[in-house]
Amino acid sequence: VISTSEDILDLSSTSNIFKVIHSLAQSNIVQEMIIFWRSPSTPPPLEDWYRFGNVKDSRIDIKLVQNKNESLVDKLSVAGSCQLGSVLLVDDDVTLATEEVQFAQSVFKDFPDRLVGFTPRLHYWDDVGRSWKYTSKASHQFSMVGTEVAIMKRKYARIFYDYLPRHTLRYLDELPHCRDLLLNFLVAHVTRKAPVKVTQRRLMTSPSSRELPTQAERVKQFQEKQDCLATFTEDFGEMPLVTSVVRMDPVLFKDPVSNLRKKYRKIETLA
């Protein structure tokens, strides 16, 4: 499921979303792509998605779903309609190499009940404030992964939409930046396990693909996530998030051996 932003007014053949589509198509593991179009503008016709995304594999089915609601509830309801048992969530402003998709899928096969992603986040207990806190600072620990690029079982999308309390879901309409937190809460609550972080990359968003938020907007979003963390902990009646220090890298990652021996050579060059 590829989710677009609300501020897309027009697309060209060089738009970042078509690069994402091409990377997914080249991975040979994607059988269906659902474009979740959230912009009020009219999306390109379906044939343009194949043409500009350079999708030549006739086995890949591209579908277009229009919805102006930004909340992850609707995004996950779209994911819940996928035909396969696993779902790859992707935002349209990320930079994503084909090898990264392939490696993430190979890791997901070994951890099919986990949320597998690239961008780590962490919760921690604040002794002074006597409350749980959220941070995205670089650390050797993490307890959440962002949903800019993430793989999970389709059933979590259906559980998210069908079984979470209505008042918890309505909270996302006011604070949409908390959607990835709630998904991590749900998966951790079900599995009692930490998510899985893959590769060395910590940021997936392309700086050139969208206008960067101002300092004031970043501070506001950060405070919103602090409030969401407290609210979700209260709604779940516990803190389900589990901390991990494990990062999955390809075999021979950065080892001083010939590149011919390495299956995922490009991943080493991505930071």
Side-chain angles (χ1 to χ4, degrees):
V1 177
I2 305 174
S3 179
T4 68
S5 63
E6 287 187 316
D7 54 3
I8 288 182
L9 298 178
D10 192 18
L11 286 178
S12 68
S13 60
T14 59
S15 295
N16 190 74
I17 189 171
F18 293 124
K19 298 177 183 178
V20 173
I21 291 174
H22 180 64
S23 293
L24 295 175
Q26 291 292 103
S27 68
N28 295 323
I29 61 174
V30 175
Q31 299 180 26
E32 179 184 38
M33 296 188 200
I34 300 180
I35 312 298
F36 182 44
W37 186 264
R38 290 173 29 231
S39 171
S41 62
T42 302
L46 195 59
E47 56 267 22
D48 283 356
W49 295 98
Y50 284 93
R51 181 159 59 96
F52 294 142
N54 197 21
V55 179
K56 300 178 180 179
D57 192 338
S58 60
R59 295 172 298 177
I60 297 178
D61 185 22
I62 298 181
K63 299 178 181 178
L64 188 62
V65 176
Q66 290 184 257
N67 195 313
K68 299 178 183 179
N69 195 325
E70 185 184 5
S71 70
L72 187 59
V73 177
D74 292 304
K75 180 180 178 180
L76 284 181
S77 67
V78 173
S81 67
C82 292
Q83 300 300 313
L84 303 178
S86 59
V87 179
L88 173 64
L89 300 177
V90 184
D91 286 348
D92 67 334
D93 61 345
V94 301
T95 57
L96 187 64
T98 299
E99 283 191 5
E100 291 178 304
V101 179
Q102 294 170 330
F103 178 66
Q105 171 65 12
S106 69
V107 172
F108 178 73
K109 288 181 179 179
D110 292 328
F111 302 93
D113 60 335
R114 312 280 192 99
L115 185 61
V116 177
F118 292 81
T119 53
R121 304 288 185 264
L122 178 67
H123 80 291
Y124 65 95
W125 178 254
D126 180 16
D127 286 327
V128 177
R130 304 297 299 170
S131 62
W132 293 104
K133 297 293 185 181
Y134 165 90
T135 181
S136 58
K137 291 183 178 179
S139 172
H140 67 286
Q141 296 180 314
F142 67 94
S143 55
M144 297 169 276
V145 290
T147 58
E148 302 94 335
V149 183
I151 305 179
M152 66 177 187
K153 279 187 174 180
R154 181 187 57 188
K155 73 173 186 179
Y156 293 133
R158 296 181 174 178
I159 294 174
F160 189 102
Y161 191 74
D162 294 336
Y163 295 105
L164 282 179
R166 295 298 100 184
H167 69 273
T168 303
L169 296 177
R170 284 194 295 269
Y171 197 69
L172 293 181
D173 293 333
E174 302 174 8
L175 301 174
H177 300 294
C178 295
R179 55 198 180 200
D180 55 342
L181 267 68
L182 185 54
L183 181 59
N184 277 273
F185 263 72
L186 172 63
V187 177
H189 177 74
V190 172
T191 64
R192 300 296 175 182
K193 299 174 183 177
V196 178
K197 157 91 173 100
V198 293
T199 78
Q200 61 186 339
R201 291 182 67 185
R202 296 185 55 84
L203 296 175
M204 303 296 290
T205 304
S206 171
S208 60
S209 62
R210 190 178 300 176
E211 184 178 350
L212 296 177
T214 64
Q215 178 65 23
E217 289 173 336
R218 288 196 295 267
V219 171
K220 180 183 178 182
Q221 292 175 13
F222 180 77
Q223 186 55 53
E224 287 177 352
K225 293 204 172 187
Q226 298 287 7
D227 296 339
C228 288
L229 195 70
T231 298
F232 296 157
T233 302
E234 182 178 351
D235 289 349
F236 276 77
E238 63 171 353
M239 169 48 74
L241 298 176
V242 180
T243 301
S244 175
V245 295
V246 178
R247 188 184 85 188
M248 297 296 174
D249 290 317
V251 175
L252 300 179
F253 178 73
K254 289 193 174 181
D255 282 358
V257 298
S258 170
N259 274 343
L260 297 177
R261 297 177 58 188
K262 300 179 181 182
K263 183 176 181 180
Y264 304 101
R265 301 170 189 139
K266 189 173 182 180
I267 289 181
E268 294 188 9
T269 66
L270 303 173

